[in-house]
Amino acid sequence: MIVYVRHNTRRKKEFRLLTTIEKEGNTLFTYKKAAVKESESFLLSLLDKYRYLSGANFPFRVLKPEETSQGIKFHYLNAKSLDALLYEAIQSRSKTRVLQVFLDYREILDRIPTETTTLGNGEFEEYFGKEKNGGSFECLRIGCLDLTLENIFQDGKDYCLMDYEWTFEFPIPKNYVIYRSLLLAYSKYFPNRLNEILPFEEVAKEFGINSGEKELYLNFEWVFQNRTHKNVLPFNEYVSAHEPFLQSRYNFPTLADKHDQVAARLEKEIAEKLQLMEKNNALQKEVQEAAGEIDRIHASVSWRITGPVRRARVIAHRFFMLGRKFRTASLLLLVSSQKFRKRCRESGLLESIRHSVNFVGKNMASPGEAMSAILAEERNLELYQQWIATNESLDPEKIQAEIENFAYKPKISVIVPVYNVKLKLLNECIRSVTSQYYDNWELCIYDDASTESNTKKCLRKWSSYGDERIKVRFGRSNMHISGASNEALKMATGEFVALLDNDDVLAKHALFESVKLLNEREEADFIYSDEDKLDLKGRRCNPFFKPDWSIDLFLSAMYTCHLGIFRKAVIDRIGGFRKGYEGSQDYDLVLRVIKEVDERNILHIPKILYHWRMLETSTALNSPAKMYAYEAAVAALNDYLRRNGIAGEAVHDSSLGFYRIKYRIKGNPLVSIIIPFKDKPGILKKCLESILQKTGYGNYEILLVNNQSRKRETLEYLEEIKNNGKTRILAYDHEFNFSSINNHAARKANGDYLIFLNNDTEVIDGNWLENMLQHAQRKEVGAVGALLLYPDDTIQHAGIVVGLGGTAGHVHHGISVEDPEYAGVMRVARNYSAVTGACLMVKKDLFFRVNGFDEKDFSIAFNDVDLCLKLRELGYLIVYTPYAKLYHHESVSRGYDMEMAESNPERYEKFTEEQNRLREKWAHVIMHDPYYNPNLPR
C-alpha cells in the first residue's frame, strides 16, 4: 500500500525521480522510482553511489539500497534528522541549543576527509560552472551535495545519511556544502524567527564563510539548479529570491516532508473509501426507503391531523435552527411552549396551529418552506447517523494496542468549570472523561459556587470514588466562567490542557486521537478537532467538519472551538483566561495563544471528538441567547488587533457569531486593473462602466488588453473611451494565451497592486476595490479573490479547493448566496489554497517574484490556481473576501469547457493537457488541501 508520494516536477526529465513510502505488511519501505523513462539511468546510479560511499571510508552509515522490479528500495528510517533537532531548538527559543545543532553538524562534516585543491575540473564545471579566480579551496574528497541538515539522521549514537543522489566522484568545496545547508535552514525556518534567535551572519562567521564566498556559492547553486531543473530564474532574481531568512526557497527541490502525518491521513482515507465502496449500495437503498416512508407519512391524513400536536415543540426548535430567516424577538415568543399552551386554552388547538403557520408565512417564503426545511433536517439527521455508522467503527483492542506502543504518553488535564448544571448532563459529561480509552488524564472540576445543592452532591459523589485523577474543588463565591476556569487550571498538573463544558461530552477516543497526533508531532502547542451537536433528545446532529488552521477564518469566527487542547506552558505564559470576556473566553484565549506559538504547531484532527449540547439557553441552539458573548468576541478581536499592531477594527458581521476585520489602508496606492478582451464590445462596455460608475476607491488605472479584436464596433468603442482619463489600451497581437496576455499587461502597469479582471464581470458593490486592497496590503497575503455571482445570485466563485473534482473546483458553486445553511461561511473572509483569476488582486512585486502566470505550462487554464500555489509555496496566504462582490457572466468570452470540446477541439485538448499538468505539478497539494476537510466530498 502506497502511503506517501513525492514528485519534483520541476526537475529536468533525466533527473526526475518519484519517491514513495509503501507499507508491506507491518513494515514501511522508501522507494525511489524513475518518474519518466529518461531518468532510469539516474535512478540506477544510486547503486553505484552507495558502493562509492561505502568504499570510500565514509565516516557514518549510509542507507543501503536494494534493486527491485519497482525501483530502488530502502528500509524506512525511523529516526530524527538534524533538521528536526534544529526545529526543536527553535521552539525552545534557546540560542545555545540552536548553535549546538549547527556545531554538531560541523563536527559531522569535519569527520569527512578533505583536500586543498583548485576547481578547474571539467566535471565540476559541468554541474557548478567555472570558478574564475582560480583559487584553492578546502574540499570534501567525497563530493556529496546532499550533506544537509535534513538528510543526516541521528540513529542511536551514530549518524546515517538518508539521501545521496547528488554524490560526485570529484571534490566539492566544504564551505559550499555548509553554506547551501545553512541557506536551506534559514529559508525554511524564516517564520520561526530563526534569524532572530541566531543571526545568519553569526553562523556564517562561525563556519568561516565570508561575504565574497557567499556570492560564489550562490553562483554554484544557480548553475546547479539550471543544470538539473527547468524554468530557473536569472541569477540576479535568483539571489533575491533566495536571500536567507527573507524569502522561502523558490527553486530548491523539496528535501523533506511530513511523512508520518501524510501517511496517517492517506491510510485513513484509503480505509474509509474501501468501507464506503462496500456499503454504498446498501446505504443508498436505505436512504431511498427512508425518504419514501417520510413522504408517505407526510401525505397521510393522520399526519396532517396529529402531526402539529406531536411535533409542536420540535418544530419550535427547528425554527431556531433557521434563525437567520426569522426576526429574533418574534421567534422567542413562538418557541415558548408555555405561550403556545396558553393560546391553545384560549383559542383552541386548530386556531393556535393556524396562528403559528401564519407567523411562519410572514417570515419565510411560504409555510410549506418551513415544513420542507424541517423534513430535510430530519433526512439529514438520518444520513448523519449512517455516516457515523460507516466512519466511526472503533476497535477497542486495536486502540489499546496502539496506546501501549506510544513512545510519548503525556498527561492531559481536562478542565471543567461547573455551575448549576442538570445532574443527568453533568454525569454524562464526567462519564465521558472516565471512559476514555487513553487513561493518562486528570479531571479538574471547579464548582463556581453553585446554588443547586444537587450539583454539589453529585460532584462530592464522584470525588468519593477514590480515583485520584478526579479532582474537585468548591468555590465560595461566584467567579463566572473565566475565573472558574482559572481556578480549575490551578489544579492541573498535565503537560496539556483540554477544555470541556459541564454539559458537553467527549468522544471515547478523543484523548487517544490527540495523543496519537502528539506522538507524530510532539512539538504541537494547540490541537483542535471536528465536532457535532447533541439535540434535545441526545441525538448527534449538525457535524462541523473544519479546515486546518486558517487565520482569516478564525478572525471571522471562533471555528476551532471544540475540542481544544493546549500546551499548559503556553496557557500559563499568557496568564490563562481573562475576566470580562465571558461567553467568548475561549475565543480570547486562542487569540492570545496564537501570538505565542508557531502556526505550524497548530494542528487539526479531522475527526468528530466533541459533542456540544444544544440547550434552549445555549448558543448551540439559540444564537441570541447570550448576546453578551458576541460583544465580548468583538472586544477580544479588537484587543488582538491592538496587541499585534494591526491598523483596523473588528465589527459584527450580518450573522451572529461572525465578524469582520476592517483593515485600514496604508496611504493611497495605485491599483492597476488589467482586463484582456477580444471583440464583444457590449460585454466590455458593461464591465468598464460598472467600474467607472460604482468604484469608490479613486486611485486606479484600467489597462484594456486588446487580443486581436477585428470587429468595427469594437474599434469604434475603443476610440470612444481612449481619452477618459482612467483607461489605457494595450495591444497584444498574438494567439490567445491568457498567461502571456496578463503578464504583458502587468509589465506595463504603473500600480503597486494588480487586479486581473475578466471582461465578462460587472461590479455590484462600490467598495469592492478597497475591500480587496485591505487584504492585499497585508505583508503575509499573496493574493485576494472576490465573491462572484451569476446574474441569478447563485455563486460562481467563493474560493477554490485544490483536489475538488480531481483537480481544482469552486466551492459552494451554484448555491444561492442567500442559502441559510452556507451563508455564514460564504459571507466572511477566509483562506483558500487558490482563488479565481477572473478577479484576483496581488502585489506587483510579488507577482513578478514568482514569475507571474506560467505562459508555457498553463496558457489557457489553471494559471490562476498555479499562481496561487506558487505564492502558497513561498508561505503567503490566499484570502477570499465576500465584501468584494461582482457578477460574473462566466465563460461568455471563452465558452464553457464542454461547449469548447465541440466547437474548438484543439483548445479543449490543450485544456485537458494543462489539467493533467496541474495534477502532476501539484500532486502533493491536491492530495490534501489544508483548507478543505477530508471528510467532505471531493
Side-chain angles (χ1 to χ4, degrees):
M1 178 191 296
I2 296 177
V3 296
Y4 169 79
V5 178
R6 186 181 72 203
H7 183 201
N8 184 355
T9 59
R10 290 172 293 178
R11 283 190 184 179
K12 292 178 180 176
K13 287 185 177 181
E14 61 265 38
F15 303 113
R16 196 178 298 175
L17 299 183
L18 187 72
T19 301
T20 65
I21 298 176
E22 301 185 20
K23 195 170 186 179
E24 298 173 12
N26 292 321
T27 307
L28 289 173
F29 294 92
T30 302
Y31 280 87
K32 283 191 176 287
K33 305 174 183 180
V36 291
K37 188 173 181 62
E38 292 89 335
S39 62
E40 288 177 353
S41 61
F42 182 64
L43 174 70
L44 293 175
S45 72
L46 286 176
L47 300 171
D48 295 328
K49 290 167 182 174
Y50 172 77
R51 285 191 287 268
Y52 169 67
L53 289 170
S54 300
N57 295 319
F58 204 65
F60 45 90
R61 190 164 68 87
V62 179
L63 210 59
K64 185 177 180 179
E66 177 185 343
E67 186 177 5
T68 71
S69 59
Q70 298 182 56
I72 304 296
K73 175 179 178 181
F74 303 84
H75 274 275
Y76 183 80
L77 186 61
N78 189 14
K80 283 189 177 181
S81 66
L82 291 184
D83 180 70
L85 296 175
L86 175 63
Y87 182 77
E88 292 174 0
I90 293 169
Q91 295 308 297
S92 72
R93 293 176 170 80
S94 167
K95 180 176 180 178
T96 303
R97 285 185 62 184
V98 170
L99 181 59
Q100 188 59 52
V101 174
F102 287 122
L103 293 177
D104 289 345
Y105 172 63
R106 182 173 65 181
E107 189 272 333
I108 292 167
L109 261 62
D110 286 343
R111 300 182 192 180
I112 302 172
T114 61
E115 64 182 37
T116 302
T117 182
T118 60
L119 302 177
N121 179 306
E123 291 178 304
F124 181 93
E125 291 174 1
E126 178 187 354
Y127 278 90
F128 306 103
K130 290 185 178 182
E131 199 291 295
K132 299 178 182 179
N133 297 328
S136 297
F137 293 82
E138 183 187 15
C139 295
L140 299 175
R141 289 181 186 173
I142 303 169
C144 181
L145 200 61
D146 287 316
L147 289 164
T148 65
L149 296 170
E150 293 176 310
N151 287 335
I152 299 174
F153 282 69
Q154 194 172 37
D155 192 15
K157 294 183 179 180
D158 202 0
Y159 292 94
C160 179
L161 179 63
M162 181 187 73
D163 203 354
Y164 45 85
E165 62 186 37
W166 298 113
T167 297
F168 306 94
E169 294 186 19
F170 53 82
I172 293 179
K174 180 178 180 180
N175 274 358
Y176 167 44
V177 175
I178 292 171
Y179 181 76
R180 185 176 190 269
S181 188
L182 294 177
L183 185 66
L184 288 170
Y186 274 81
S187 297
K188 179 177 181 180
Y189 291 118
F190 161 62
N192 269 10
R193 296 168 293 187
L194 173 55
N195 190 60
E196 295 176 18
I197 298 170
L198 180 62
F200 180 84
E201 295 303 324
E202 283 190 32
V203 183
K205 185 177 180 181
E206 179 69 31
F207 281 84
I209 301 172
N210 60 46
S211 58
E213 286 180 284
K214 291 179 188 176
E215 184 174 353
L216 175 65
Y217 298 150
L218 275 170
N219 188 71
F220 286 168
E221 186 65 14
W222 179 71
V223 174
F224 175 71
Q225 295 295 329
N226 271 285
R227 173 70 178 86
T228 57
H229 288 68
K230 54 186 179 181
N231 302 329
V232 178
L233 293 168
F235 179 68
N236 60 334
E237 295 179 41
Y238 184 86
V239 172
S240 175
H242 288 79
E243 186 77 23
F245 55 84
L246 291 181
Q247 305 299 338
S248 297
R249 61 182 181 273
Y250 179 71
N251 275 310
F252 288 125
T254 303
L255 297 174
D257 288 282
K258 303 169 185 175
H259 296 181
D260 295 343
Q261 184 181 2
V262 175
R265 282 178 176 161
L266 278 173
E267 284 184 319
K268 173 182 175 294
E269 289 178 9
I270 291 168
E272 289 176 350
K273 286 177 182 177
L274 287 173
Q275 287 180 345
L276 287 172
M277 288 171 64
E278 292 172 0
K279 297 183 179 182
N280 183 53
N281 292 335
L283 289 177
Q284 292 234 357
K285 185 177 179 182
E286 288 179 24
V287 172
Q288 290 171 358
E289 290 175 355
E293 183 65 24
I294 290 171
D295 290 340
R296 284 192 293 275
I297 292 171
H298 187 212
S300 69
V301 174
S302 61
W303 171 267
R304 291 197 295 270
I305 293 174
T306 65
V309 178
R310 289 181 292 103
R311 297 173 55 89
R313 186 173 178 81
V314 176
I315 288 173
H317 289 300
R318 294 298 185 271
F319 288 155
F320 265 119
M321 303 307 295
L322 298 168
R324 293 190 184 95
K325 287 196 172 185
F326 291 81
R327 292 193 300 270
T328 300
S330 299
L331 193 77
L332 291 172
L333 293 175
L334 175 66
V335 176
S336 169
S337 57
Q338 182 178 0
K339 290 182 180 292
F340 184 81
R341 288 195 299 271
K342 181 180 178 182
R343 183 173 291 277
C344 285
R345 289 195 300 270
E346 294 173 352
S347 307
L349 174 64
L350 293 179
E351 175 61 23
S352 299
I353 294 171
R354 186 193 64 77
H355 173 82
S356 297
V357 170
N358 286 340
F359 172 84
V360 174
K362 294 176 183 177
N363 289 277
M364 300 183 70
S366 68
E369 183 178 343
M371 294 306 297
S372 297
I374 292 165
L375 289 172
E377 193 168 329
E378 288 293 325
R379 292 191 184 102
N380 289 338
L381 183 65
E382 292 176 15
L383 289 172
Y384 182 44
Q385 302 311 309
Q386 292 165 2
W387 182 92
I388 292 169
T390 303
N391 293 275
E392 291 188 1
S393 53
L394 302 174
D395 184 340
E397 291 184 3
K398 183 179 178 182
I399 290 173
Q400 290 301 335
E402 282 193 65
I403 291 173
E404 288 175 11
N405 289 325
F406 282 164
Y408 178 44
K409 298 180 181 180
K411 181 192 290 186
I412 297 180
S413 301
V414 183
I415 303 301
V416 184
V418 172
Y419 182 73
N420 285 354
V421 62
K422 291 181 180 179
L423 297 190
K424 180 178 182 295
L425 305 186
L426 179 58
N427 281 319
E428 286 184 14
C429 172
I430 296 174
R431 201 172 291 118
S432 77
V433 178
T434 61
S435 61
Q436 288 292 306
Y437 290 119
Y438 182 78
D439 62 4
N440 191 14
W441 52 261
E442 64 179 4
L443 181 57
C444 303
I445 302 174
Y446 182 82
D447 179 76
D448 193 23
S450 291
T451 57
E452 296 285 344
S453 60
N454 283 339
T455 301
K456 294 183 177 181
K457 189 181 297 183
C458 176
L459 293 178
R460 290 191 180 99
K461 181 179 178 182
W462 278 101
S463 182
S464 69
Y465 287 154
D467 189 336
E468 294 181 354
R469 297 174 301 175
I470 300 176
K471 303 177 178 181
V472 181
R473 281 182 55 200
F474 296 91
R476 294 183 178 180
S477 60
N478 186 260
M479 303 178 68
H480 301 292
I481 192 167
S482 296
S485 297
N486 283 336
E487 291 301 314
L489 277 171
K490 291 177 182 177
M491 304 157 63
T493 61
E495 191 174 347
F496 289 89
V497 170
L499 306 183
L500 175 62
D501 289 347
N502 62 190
D503 47 16
D504 293 344
V505 175
L506 291 182
K508 288 185 70 173
H509 56 307
L511 300 187
F512 158 71
E513 294 289 353
S514 302
V515 177
K516 182 178 179 179
L517 179 57
L518 284 167
N519 273 266
E520 299 165 359
R521 296 284 302 278
E522 193 173 337
E523 70 278 8
D525 289 318
F526 169 34
I527 298 172
Y528 65 95
S529 75
D530 295 344
E531 64 187 79
D532 62 13
K533 293 185 175 68
L534 298 173
D535 69 10
L536 296 173
K537 293 183 177 180
R539 298 174 300 180
R540 290 176 58 185
C541 60
N542 298 355
F544 182 13
F545 297 117
K546 308 170 187 178
D548 290 351
W549 178 247
S550 169
I551 181 61
D552 283 282
L553 179 58
F554 187 74
L555 295 178
S556 301
M558 200 324 188
Y559 81 91
T560 59
C561 207
H562 306 301
L563 171 68
I565 293 183
F566 304 84
R567 187 176 294 276
K568 187 172 184 293
V570 176
I571 300 297
D572 291 341
R573 195 157 63 238
I574 65 173
F577 296 89
R578 292 199 296 173
K579 293 183 179 180
Y581 295 85
E582 281 71 21
S584 286
Q585 70 284 340
D586 292 3
Y587 200 7
D588 174 64
L589 182 83
V590 179
L591 285 167
R592 289 179 291 126
V593 164
I594 61 179
K595 172 73 172 176
E596 296 293 317
V597 304
D598 189 302
E599 283 192 359
R600 282 175 294 187
N601 293 340
I602 302 174
L603 304 182
H604 166 225
I605 301 175
K607 296 183 180 182
I608 304 285
L609 301 183
Y610 193 100
H611 313 304
W612 190 6
R613 188 82 61 178
M614 298 168 68
L615 302 173
E616 291 183 14
T617 56
S618 74
T619 55
L621 178 63
N622 178 8
S623 291
K626 296 180 179 178
M627 286 302 300
Y628 65 88
Y630 306 113
E631 296 300 332
V634 170
L637 285 166
N638 279 308
D639 283 352
Y640 168 84
L641 297 178
R642 283 191 290 273
R643 279 195 308 273
N644 291 277
I646 300 171
E649 178 190 12
V651 297
H652 291 286
D653 194 64
S654 56
S655 301
L656 285 177
F658 294 96
Y659 312 97
R660 178 183 177 186
I661 306 296
K662 292 185 175 181
Y663 295 94
R664 194 172 304 135
I665 294 174
K666 303 168 189 174
N668 187 36
L670 176 65
V671 179
S672 298
I673 305 172
I674 296 170
I675 307 176
F677 70 95
K678 181 176 182 179
D679 289 314
K680 296 186 171 60
I683 294 170
L684 179 63
K685 182 177 181 180
K686 182 180 287 188
C687 173
L688 190 59
E689 289 183 350
S690 72
I691 297 171
L692 294 171
Q693 294 172 10
K694 295 182 179 179
T695 302
Y697 184 82
N699 196 17
Y700 67 89
E701 64 171 1
I702 302 173
L703 279 65
L704 300 178
V705 194
N706 185 358
N707 182 208
Q708 298 182 329
S709 295
R710 296 289 184 264
K711 293 185 177 180
R712 178 176 56 82
E713 306 97 284
T714 305
L715 301 178
E716 288 177 352
Y717 179 64
L718 295 180
E719 187 66 25
E720 176 186 331
I721 64 172
K722 70 178 183 180
N723 295 319
N724 70 6
K726 284 286 188 183
T727 306
R728 284 193 285 147
I729 301 169
L730 306 178
Y732 184 85
D733 195 17
H734 305 283
E735 181 182 353
F736 175 79
N737 180 319
F738 178 90
S739 297
S740 181
I741 291 170
N742 282 286
N743 288 346
H744 168 72
R747 286 189 285 269
K748 304 286 186 181
N750 295 322
D752 296 320
Y753 295 85
L754 308 174
I755 283 192
F756 300 99
L757 188 67
N758 277 19
N759 64 325
D760 55 358
T761 55
E762 181 183 352
V763 172
I764 300 173
D765 185 347
N767 295 322
W768 72 289
L769 196 57
E770 60 192 82
N771 288 337
M772 295 185 79
L773 185 57
Q774 282 182 24
H775 291 285
Q777 69 174 352
R778 293 161 54 196
K779 64 181 180 180
E780 68 272 22
V781 171
V784 183
L787 172 60
L788 302 182
L789 303 176
Y790 290 118
D792 63 356
D793 285 335
T794 57
I795 290 175
Q796 188 272 330
H797 171 267
I800 292 176
V801 170
V802 180
L804 191 62
T807 308
H810 289 201
V811 70
H812 305 308
H813 185 267
I815 293 173
S816 169
V817 73
E818 299 298 331
D819 190 299
E821 288 293 318
Y822 297 98
V825 294
M826 292 184 302
R827 291 178 185 167
V828 296
R830 60 183 300 177
N831 303 113
Y832 282 105
S833 287
V835 290
T836 180
C839 182
L840 182 153
M841 179 181 276
V842 62
K843 298 180 186 73
K844 183 178 178 181
D845 62 343
L846 191 53
F847 179 73
F848 285 112
R849 191 181 303 165
V850 295
N851 276 351
F853 292 112
D854 189 329
E855 301 177 12
K856 180 182 177 183
D857 288 341
F858 302 103
S859 61
I860 67 168
F862 302 107
N863 25 60
D864 46 6
V865 177
D866 178 67
L867 174 72
C868 290
L869 292 179
K870 288 191 292 185
L871 291 167
R872 289 277 299 129
E873 192 175 45
L874 285 178
Y876 290 96
L877 295 171
I878 309 301
V879 176
Y880 153 75
T881 174
Y883 308 111
K885 193 185 302 183
L886 299 89
Y887 284 123
H888 185 201
H889 309 275
E890 184 186 26
S891 299
V892 169
S893 301
R894 193 193 69 187
Y896 289 97
D897 298 332
M898 293 312 295
E899 293 176 359
M900 182 169 49
E902 298 176 4
S903 62
N904 194 336
E906 184 177 337
R907 181 174 288 183
Y908 184 71
E909 183 179 354
K910 180 74 172 171
F911 170 86
T912 305
E913 287 176 4
E914 295 182 3
Q915 186 178 45
N916 292 333
R917 200 169 292 130
L918 188 80
R919 289 176 182 147
E920 177 188 4
K921 179 176 180 180
W922 298 106
H924 59 292
V925 182
I926 288 173
M927 184 168 55
H928 172 66
D929 186 326
Y931 299 114
Y932 192 73
N933 191 292
N935 292 299
L936 297 174
R938 294 174 70 85

